[in-house]
Amino acid sequence: MLLKELLSDYKQTRQALLAANFYNFETLKGITRAAALLERPVILQLSESSIDYMGLDMAVSMARSIIREYDINAWLHLDHGSSLELLQRCLDKGFDSVMIDASEKSFEENVKISSKAVRFAESYNANVEAELGYVAKLGQKQESGEYTKPDDAKRFVELTGVNALAVAIGTAHGFYKRKPVIRLDILNMISKETPAALVLHGGSGLSDEILKGAVINGINKINLATETKNTFMKKLKFLLTHTEEIDLRKVFPPAIDEVTDLIKKKMIIIKPIDV
Ligand code: 13P
Ligand code: ZN
């Protein structure tokens, strides 16, 4: 099934898909094994810096072969694409979905660039995500007090034709320095105004209640990155200080297990297991 079809289906049925960023083979394995164990679909995301780190070919090949090996329903997505050139590179390598992030530009510029991305991705039948509003990136001021306006979201989706829209409802990337104020009421209004699937960026550090509330109020894709990185590295640091073992194939597995546990937990929060 095409990702844009599934997201559109999720929009109607008020469900959300976990979109997890991976950084290397180990985090990829941790994430996909969770999807296999729970038999849940998952979006595998790559940021530009992860692409630079692993190499595009390597990252795509690893993702495709592990999807096959675990026999899971998964899609490959470019996270925060900064240019149409990068989108093209990814689509040519078979990505199912791309994000064009022109959220720091004016509304008009964002419309212009995002529309181009939509037209461009058409021939690939790919899902296109854009962002409207301020969702602080790592290192940026977290609270802005600015939220995506429902009317703007409606107009933006009409003008661009994007399938998915990342909205600003009080979340930010990275861990929260203060308890965030998440405006589920605004999210609910946006959700009623637009046919696009809605995306929550900055999923790390949000309480289970907020994550559940976000789904109930219209989020269809939840992005999770920092918690995965942190979970893996925390366990690895602990292991390295508690063992003389130098065989990385023995040191890495418990850290991969932690990633699997984290992803399973998040998947169950988003959609409890039927009993
Ligand atoms: P976190 O790093 O806060 O989980 O955000 C993830 C994200 O939005 C990736 O695009
Ligand atoms: Zn993001």
Side-chain angles (χ1 to χ4, degrees):
M1 191 182 210
L2 289 176
L3 180 58
K4 57 182 172 184
E5 292 167 357
L6 185 82
L7 285 175
S8 151
D9 189 52
Y10 272 24
K11 170 101 189 167
Q12 306 311 318
T13 53
R14 296 234 157 195
Q15 296 185 68
L17 202 53
L18 188 69
N21 288 61
F22 69 97
Y23 305 90
N24 56 6
F25 168 72
E26 285 72 24
T27 45
L28 174 65
K29 179 168 177 173
I31 295 162
T32 47
R33 196 174 47 187
L37 289 169
L38 292 182
E39 296 183 17
R40 295 276 170 90
V42 69
I43 295 174
L44 302 170
Q45 304 200 138
L46 281 165
S47 65
E48 195 165 351
S49 42
S50 293
I51 291 173
D52 290 345
Y53 173 65
M54 286 179 271
L56 186 57
D57 254 342
M58 178 62 75
V60 173
S61 315
M62 279 197 306
R64 291 290 177 216
S65 60
I66 210 158
I67 291 171
R68 259 197 318 276
E69 185 177 326
Y70 282 133
D71 193 19
I72 53 173
N73 232 343
W75 297 266
L76 205 49
H77 172 79
L78 168 68
D79 191 27
H80 293 284
S82 59
S83 67
L84 294 174
E85 290 71 33
L86 178 60
L87 263 64
Q88 171 155 29
R89 276 180 68 209
C90 292
L91 290 168
D92 283 343
K93 288 282 174 221
F95 276 49
D96 307 287
S97 176
V98 284
M99 174 186 190
I100 180 76
D101 183 358
S103 60
E104 289 175 77
K105 303 223 178 330
S106 68
F107 182 90
E108 290 71 26
E109 271 294 296
N110 194 351
V111 166
K112 216 162 114 186
I113 298 169
S114 303
S115 308
K116 271 192 193 161
V118 170
R119 280 199 299 277
F120 185 67
E122 237 159 46
S123 57
Y124 297 87
N125 232 340
N127 182 67
V128 178
E129 175 181 331
E131 179 170 318
L132 183 65
Y134 181 84
V135 183
K137 300 202 165 51
L138 286 176
Q140 289 181 332
K141 185 171 148 270
Q142 290 198 332
E143 300 93 2
S144 73
E146 286 168 36
Y147 300 92
T148 304
K149 293 184 184 65
D151 275 358
D152 286 351
K154 179 178 191 295
R155 218 152 49 88
F156 186 86
V157 173
E158 282 169 2
L159 291 169
T160 59
V162 292
N163 311 103
L165 184 68
V167 288
I169 54 163
T171 63
H173 292 88
F175 284 124
Y176 293 93
K177 298 198 176 78
R178 254 172 259 122
K179 193 167 180 262
V181 181
I182 310 296
R183 294 292 301 272
L184 297 180
D185 55 332
I186 295 179
L187 169 63
N188 197 281
M189 286 191 276
I190 299 171
S191 165
K192 288 185 180 131
E193 290 294 334
T194 164
L198 299 181
V199 183
L200 183 138
H201 281 247
S204 292
L206 294 177
S207 68
D208 297 359
E209 287 64 38
I210 290 291
L211 289 175
K212 282 179 203 287
V215 180
I216 291 168
N217 286 283
I219 285 293
N220 308 110
K221 171 176 178 272
I222 295 184
N223 286 12
L224 187 82
T226 304
E227 272 190 64
T228 303
K229 227 185 331 187
N230 189 57
T231 298
F232 182 77
M233 289 306 291
K234 233 168 95 178
K235 184 70 177 183
L236 194 59
K237 279 182 190 167
F238 173 85
L239 294 165
L240 290 173
T241 47
H242 288 80
T243 177
E244 292 300 311
E245 180 62 67
I246 58 145
D247 186 340
L248 53 88
R249 294 161 303 179
K250 296 202 173 97
V251 181
F252 281 158
I256 300 174
D257 291 347
E258 294 280 307
V259 171
T260 298
D261 289 347
L262 170 80
I263 299 296
K264 275 170 69 185
K265 204 178 98 204
K266 297 291 177 185
M267 285 177 163
I268 292 169
I269 292 166
I270 293 174
K271 185 176 187 275
I273 287 177
D274 304 326
V275 278

